[in-house]
PDB file of all heavy atoms in Angstrom:
ATOM      1  N   GLU R 225     -26.906  -4.436  -2.758  1.00 97.00           N
ATOM      2  CA  GLU R 225     -28.051  -3.674  -3.268  1.00 97.00           C
ATOM      3  C   GLU R 225     -27.889  -3.621  -4.776  1.00 97.00           C
ATOM      4  O   GLU R 225     -26.829  -3.260  -5.280  1.00 97.00           O
ATOM      5  CB  GLU R 225     -28.010  -2.239  -2.739  1.00 97.00           C
ATOM      6  CG  GLU R 225     -28.884  -2.017  -1.532  1.00 97.00           C
ATOM      7  CD  GLU R 225     -28.955  -0.518  -1.210  1.00 97.00           C
ATOM      8  OE1 GLU R 225     -29.737   0.159  -1.924  1.00 97.00           O
ATOM      9  OE2 GLU R 225     -28.268  -0.102  -0.319  1.00 97.00           O
ATOM     10  N   PRO R 226     -28.944  -3.954  -5.550  1.00 97.00           N
ATOM     11  CA  PRO R 226     -28.761  -4.045  -7.011  1.00 97.00           C
ATOM     12  C   PRO R 226     -28.237  -2.722  -7.599  1.00 97.00           C
ATOM     13  O   PRO R 226     -27.581  -2.744  -8.610  1.00 97.00           O
ATOM     14  CB  PRO R 226     -30.193  -4.364  -7.481  1.00 97.00           C
ATOM     15  CG  PRO R 226     -30.853  -4.958  -6.301  1.00 97.00           C
ATOM     16  CD  PRO R 226     -30.267  -4.372  -5.084  1.00 97.00           C
ATOM     17  N   ARG R 248     -33.189 -10.557  -5.752  1.00 98.00           N
ATOM     18  CA  ARG R 248     -34.293 -11.198  -5.036  1.00 98.00           C
ATOM     19  C   ARG R 248     -35.101 -10.113  -4.361  1.00 98.00           C
ATOM     20  O   ARG R 248     -34.566  -9.364  -3.515  1.00 98.00           O
ATOM     21  CB  ARG R 248     -33.734 -12.138  -3.967  1.00 98.00           C
ATOM     22  CG  ARG R 248     -32.794 -13.146  -4.566  1.00 98.00           C
ATOM     23  CD  ARG R 248     -33.131 -14.539  -4.107  1.00 98.00           C
ATOM     24  NE  ARG R 248     -32.057 -15.402  -4.539  1.00 98.00           N
ATOM     25  CZ  ARG R 248     -31.728 -16.522  -3.905  1.00 98.00           C
ATOM     26  NH1 ARG R 248     -32.373 -16.889  -2.832  1.00 98.00           N
ATOM     27  NH2 ARG R 248     -30.765 -17.293  -4.401  1.00 98.00           N
ATOM     28  N   ALA R 249     -36.359 -10.025  -4.702  1.00 98.00           N
ATOM     29  CA  ALA R 249     -37.247  -9.028  -4.121  1.00 98.00           C
ATOM     30  C   ALA R 249     -37.418  -9.266  -2.618  1.00 98.00           C
ATOM     31  O   ALA R 249     -37.562 -10.408  -2.167  1.00 98.00           O
ATOM     32  CB  ALA R 249     -38.590  -9.049  -4.827  1.00 98.00           C
ATOM     33  N   ASP R 250     -37.387  -8.186  -1.854  1.00 98.00           N
ATOM     34  CA  ASP R 250     -37.671  -8.186  -0.406  1.00 98.00           C
ATOM     35  C   ASP R 250     -36.773  -9.149   0.362  1.00 98.00           C
ATOM     36  O   ASP R 250     -37.169  -9.646   1.410  1.00 98.00           O
ATOM     37  CB  ASP R 250     -39.161  -8.559  -0.196  1.00 98.00           C
ATOM     38  CG  ASP R 250     -40.120  -7.640  -0.961  1.00 98.00           C
ATOM     39  OD1 ASP R 250     -39.787  -6.435  -1.073  1.00 98.00           O
ATOM     40  OD2 ASP R 250     -41.117  -8.151  -1.444  1.00 98.00           O
ATOM     41  N   GLY R 255     -39.192  -4.147   0.367  1.00 96.00           N
ATOM     42  CA  GLY R 255     -38.498  -3.092  -0.376  1.00 96.00           C
ATOM     43  C   GLY R 255     -36.974  -3.242  -0.392  1.00 96.00           C
ATOM     44  O   GLY R 255     -36.284  -2.526  -1.112  1.00 96.00           O
ATOM     45  N   ALA R 256     -36.429  -4.150   0.456  1.00 96.00           N
ATOM     46  CA  ALA R 256     -34.985  -4.284   0.546  1.00 96.00           C
ATOM     47  C   ALA R 256     -34.528  -5.430  -0.389  1.00 96.00           C
ATOM     48  O   ALA R 256     -34.243  -6.548   0.068  1.00 96.00           O
ATOM     49  CB  ALA R 256     -34.558  -4.548   1.959  1.00 96.00           C
ATOM     50  N   HIS R 257     -34.493  -5.113  -1.692  1.00 97.00           N
ATOM     51  CA  HIS R 257     -34.115  -6.128  -2.643  1.00 97.00           C
ATOM     52  C   HIS R 257     -32.590  -6.334  -2.636  1.00 97.00           C
ATOM     53  O   HIS R 257     -31.857  -5.360  -2.366  1.00 97.00           O
ATOM     54  CB  HIS R 257     -34.528  -5.727  -4.053  1.00 97.00           C
ATOM     55  CG  HIS R 257     -35.914  -5.152  -4.110  1.00 97.00           C
ATOM     56  ND1 HIS R 257     -36.999  -5.728  -3.425  1.00 97.00           N
ATOM     57  CD2 HIS R 257     -36.409  -4.064  -4.717  1.00 97.00           C
ATOM     58  CE1 HIS R 257     -38.075  -4.995  -3.635  1.00 97.00           C
ATOM     59  NE2 HIS R 257     -37.759  -3.972  -4.419  1.00 97.00           N
ATOM     60  N   ARG R 258     -32.141  -7.503  -2.933  1.00 98.00           N
ATOM     61  CA  ARG R 258     -30.690  -7.737  -2.979  1.00 98.00           C
ATOM     62  C   ARG R 258     -30.355  -8.692  -4.115  1.00 98.00           C
ATOM     63  O   ARG R 258     -31.061  -9.629  -4.425  1.00 98.00           O
ATOM     64  CB  ARG R 258     -30.217  -8.390  -1.639  1.00 98.00           C
ATOM     65  CG  ARG R 258     -30.224  -7.462  -0.466  1.00 98.00           C
ATOM     66  CD  ARG R 258     -29.187  -6.335  -0.571  1.00 98.00           C
ATOM     67  NE  ARG R 258     -29.183  -5.481   0.578  1.00 98.00           N
ATOM     68  CZ  ARG R 258     -29.989  -4.440   0.803  1.00 98.00           C
ATOM     69  NH1 ARG R 258     -30.899  -4.124  -0.102  1.00 98.00           N
ATOM     70  NH2 ARG R 258     -29.863  -3.711   1.886  1.00 98.00           N
TER      71      ARG R 258
END
Side-chain angles (χ1 to χ4, degrees):
E225 264 190 78
R248 307 230 187 151
D250 305 324
H257 316 317
R258 289 293 182 276

